[in-house]
Amino acid sequence: MISERLTANAGAFVAAVLFGSSVVAVRVAVQEVPPLSLAVLRFGQGGLLLVFVLLLVGAREQLRVKWHDLPLLILLGAVLFTVFPVTFNASLRLIEASRGALILATIPLWSALLARIARSERLAPRQLVGVFLSLGGVALALAERGLGLQGGLGSLVGDGLMLVTALCGAVYAVLAQRAFARYSALTVTTYAMVLGTLLLLPAAQVEGLVGVLPQLGLQTVVLLVFLGVFGGALGFFLWTFALTRLTPTQVAVYINLNPLVAMVLAAALLAERLTIIFVAGFGAVVLGVLLVNWPKRTRGSARRS
């Protein structure tokens, strides 16, 4: 049991690192590829890669699902791979990335609330402290860079869109628990990614997806491959795998590492400076993650210690 928890936490951590890295890649690629087209190219190749892997390793049985389960899988795909990228990209056109990252960091709070309503999770006081400590760490790390608190209708709309994005992340984490009762993480990820991409495809076509493809430069192609393989197929598989072993909030709290990983990469690749305040915020996020995911002490272990 302990090894399974460690593996799941490691998977969630690696997924968070990949997602944080993807933010940097998206910021560059979106200059050449429109947002919806970028999402289709990222998740489309990610979904096809997962299908290919299942066929290659002879696990075709994992591609078999019952017809009455398709609505749930379509819903999961629509939530995470259709609505999520649309609201996320649209929001960042209206508000600053730092402000958006802070709103997105509320995903663990919404996950805890929805899981409590669904009666699938109850957080201990230690875990609640960890959730708020992690959120505070993100706020601290982003504060010195400015949270972009200027008013205006555009900012309010952007905030609302990013809030919808955060809710989508929480809803997926809670709803996916039902699918895990019947299918593996690989099956759920594959179907959700493929179906969600298909739902997004018509809008991307209107946006000009076909016309963009012949104009892609080598750097953009490399970034798209990274986003599809690592930021798409591998990242979301690890994220979904972690959800099969941990509660929605225990996995969702790792999302707060995303903007911090992006900042570290920006410092390494773009020579940006990391301050003591950032390090303190990063430490608070890590401590919050540990508090939420630290295993409960059983009576047996207490007597042995």
Side-chain angles (χ1 to χ4, degrees):
M1 180 65 69
I2 294 178
S3 62
E4 288 185 357
R5 288 179 58 86
L6 288 175
T7 302
N9 277 280
F13 174 79
V14 173
V17 172
L18 291 174
F19 294 155
S21 305
S22 297
V23 172
V24 179
V26 167
R27 285 176 181 172
V28 178
V30 78
Q31 304 302 319
E32 190 173 345
V33 184
L36 301 183
S37 300
L38 180 59
V40 167
L41 292 174
R42 176 184 180 181
F43 299 131
Q45 65 172 313
L48 291 176
L49 178 60
L50 290 175
V51 172
F52 177 75
V53 169
L54 288 174
L55 294 176
L56 185 65
V57 300
R60 295 186 179 184
E61 66 279 358
Q62 294 205 42
L63 290 174
R64 297 170 184 164
V65 298
K66 296 181 179 179
W67 285 103
H68 62 78
D69 291 325
L70 277 178
L72 175 59
L73 295 172
I74 292 173
L75 179 60
L76 290 173
V79 167
L80 195 61
F81 299 108
T82 304
V83 180
F84 189 101
V86 170
T87 55
F88 180 79
N89 292 335
S91 173
L92 289 183
R93 288 190 167 190
L94 298 172
I95 62 175
E96 294 82 354
S98 58
R99 182 167 173 170
L102 186 58
I103 298 174
L104 200 63
T106 61
I107 286 181
L109 300 178
W110 299 117
S111 293
L113 177 62
L114 292 176
R116 184 65 183 271
I117 293 175
R119 297 181 180 180
S120 62
E121 180 182 10
R122 177 175 293 182
L123 296 182
R126 161 182 57 81
Q127 293 176 304
L128 286 174
V129 171
V131 168
F132 282 102
L133 182 62
S134 177
L135 178 59
V138 173
L140 181 62
L142 296 175
E144 63 177 333
R145 303 196 173 203
L147 297 179
L149 297 180
Q150 296 85 358
L153 180 60
S155 294
L156 290 176
V157 173
D159 290 345
L161 288 170
M162 190 59 75
L163 183 59
V164 172
T165 306
L167 286 170
C168 284
V171 167
Y172 177 85
V174 175
L175 283 180
Q177 303 299 318
R178 300 183 181 181
F180 298 148
R182 305 181 186 94
Y183 306 108
S184 69
L186 192 54
T187 299
V188 174
T189 308
T190 301
Y191 269 88
M193 192 173 291
V194 170
L195 293 171
T197 302
L198 290 176
L199 291 174
L200 193 57
L201 184 58
Q205 293 280 23
V206 174
E207 188 185 52
L209 172 62
V210 176
V212 167
L213 295 177
Q215 304 175 10
L216 296 179
L218 178 59
Q219 179 186 12
T220 305
V221 171
V222 172
L223 290 174
L224 287 173
V225 172
F226 170 80
L227 287 170
V229 176
F230 297 99
L234 180 59
F236 282 94
F237 163 68
L238 290 174
W239 189 261
T240 306
F241 168 77
L243 285 170
T244 65
R245 301 292 191 275
L246 304 172
T247 65
T249 305
Q250 287 177 318
V251 177
V253 74
Y254 278 96
I255 204 74
N256 291 342
L257 289 172
N258 291 6
L260 307 186
V261 169
M263 289 182 191
V264 170
L265 284 176
L269 299 176
L270 305 176
E272 295 185 6
R273 185 171 59 92
L274 296 181
T275 66
I276 294 178
I277 295 179
F278 172 84
V279 174
F282 193 95
V285 172
V286 173
L287 181 57
V289 170
L290 289 175
L291 286 174
V292 173
N293 286 278
W294 199 265
K296 295 181 180 179
R297 195 176 186 184
T298 61
R299 293 180 181 178
S301 62
R303 286 196 295 267
R304 287 194 296 270
S305 57

